[in-house]
Amino acid sequence: MTLPADPESDAAPLREAMANALAAKGVLADPAWRDAVQTVPRHRFVPGFYLPGERDEQGLTVWEPVTAELDYGRWLAEAYADTTLITQFDGDEPDWKDPRARHGGAPTSSSTLPSLVVRMWVDADIIEGHTVLEIGTGTGYSTALACERLGSAGVTSIEVDPHRLDQAAGALFGLGYTPTLAVADGLYGYWPEAPFDRIVAACSFRAVPSALIGQVRPGGKILLTLSGWLYGYARVLLTVAGDGTAEGSLLPGTVSFMSARTHAAPAFGNPAHWATDLPDAPRTARHSPERITAATKEAFHVRFLAQSAVPNTQLTTVGEVVHLVDVVTGSAATLTPHDGGWTVREGGPLQLWERIEDVLDAYDDAGKPGPQTFTLHIDDSGQQVRHPKLPTLQLPSP
């Protein structure tokens, strides 16, 4: 006779195996965080999720729904894999009782891979007694880890999507965790529970929201990911001073998060329309677009620096042609492969690719410095990315 599935008991060895794997990666050096990972049942926070499958005839990824009802073994195994589980596309709440495959779409909510969740909490230098604001509750798994580590009374978590928060709240309260939860936009933090010792964001921002700085105690820290419309990313750990200024170093690694919905890139239409009025005579490009698009750690870092020079620019590739579009100033550029190199056509108030090339030139001349050699300084004059050997880069207004 086949015994009925029991996820609570079946998950225990998987949870222990995940904790052992994360410890082997050096993620769980703190025994308290290891205890949290071994205690919190991740499967309770992901009743359903999507995994990528094959591409369809239009080249779109087919995202397959996974639930306990559809495939119990796969659902439970993936819940305890160190991987990100997509739980929502385009802001549409799935019906996990009757899930359907998705063809393409933009992920708007997920359960972040556990190693990164723990890494974020550890990098924020959280200890007992701290009060913490988490921006982006998502499924609630990360929130549960913080509650297990700090106690629920010290944890506040906010989420812009009420459906996401409702599901997370059910899972959290069902396990006995009682953090302060609220539907709120992370751009503005959560004043009712401020001040905080730490703010940790599970989404990315184009610049550090000024409200967050005002909600941290002097000497407190903010850990968040900076991003932009070129999809360049950099994590930063800021220490807030008593005068409202803040400063901190960029952190190494290639971590990316979904953009806060209010900071998401706007639609820009047909790239061919933007290219219509560009000059007919191209120039030879000094740098290949692969300097910022290649799947390398250096390109990941350089893309963020390039983005800081042209913060309103977006990039898309049609065939072999790379298009740059700036919806704010009306500037545009195209890069086309030619004789082993690239040619560029630019038009509008800003020479977009030339600005990026200037950053690449300075970066190369400085010896290609890594992320941790840069600092972010915030004061009344704005938010500046600084390096002793490079020109200062200004982030857009928060």
Side-chain angles (χ1 to χ4, degrees), residues 130-151:
H130 278 166
T131 55
V132 174
L133 171 65
E134 177 188 40
I135 297 174
T137 312
T139 64
Y141 175 68
S142 175
T143 317
L145 291 177
C147 290
E148 186 66 33
R149 175 71 170 83
L150 299 173

Side-chain angles (χ1 to χ4, degrees), residues 140-165:
Y141 175 68
S142 175
T143 317
L145 291 177
C147 290
E148 186 66 33
R149 175 71 170 83
L150 299 173
S152 297
V155 179
T156 298
S157 186
I158 60 174
E159 169 63 49
V160 72
D161 187 323
H163 297 291
R164 294 280 87 206
L165 189 69

Side-chain angles (χ1 to χ4, degrees), residues 338-380:
H338 180 72
D339 289 341
W342 293 79
T343 59
V344 58
R345 298 161 56 218
E346 300 177 277
L350 303 180
Q351 302 297 290
L352 300 179
W353 190 246
E354 184 173 346
R355 285 197 169 201
I356 291 176
E357 288 182 317
D358 288 344
V359 170
L360 294 172
D361 288 341
Y363 170 76
D364 291 343
D365 291 343
K368 300 182 178 180
Q372 60 271 30
T373 64
F374 290 79
T375 59
L376 177 64
H377 182 83
I378 301 175
D379 57 24
D380 291 340

Side-chain angles (χ1 to χ4, degrees), residues 224-254:
L224 53 68
T225 302
L226 298 168
S227 66
W229 297 348
L230 274 182
Y231 297 101
Y233 298 90
R235 284 197 313 151
V236 62
L237 180 62
L238 291 165
T239 299
V240 177
D243 59 0
T245 63
E247 190 169 51
S249 298
L250 303 190
L251 302 181
T254 55

Side-chain angles (χ1 to χ4, degrees), residues 10 13 44 71 84 90 111 113 120 123 152 236 253 257 290 309-311 324 354 361 363 366 380 391:
D10 293 344
R44 294 281 291 271
D71 189 334
T84 293
D90 302 317
S111 178
L113 66 162
M120 291 290 286
D123 285 348
S152 297
V236 62
F257 278 99
E290 293 168 349
V310 287
L324 297 170
E354 184 173 346
D361 288 341
Y363 170 76
D380 291 340

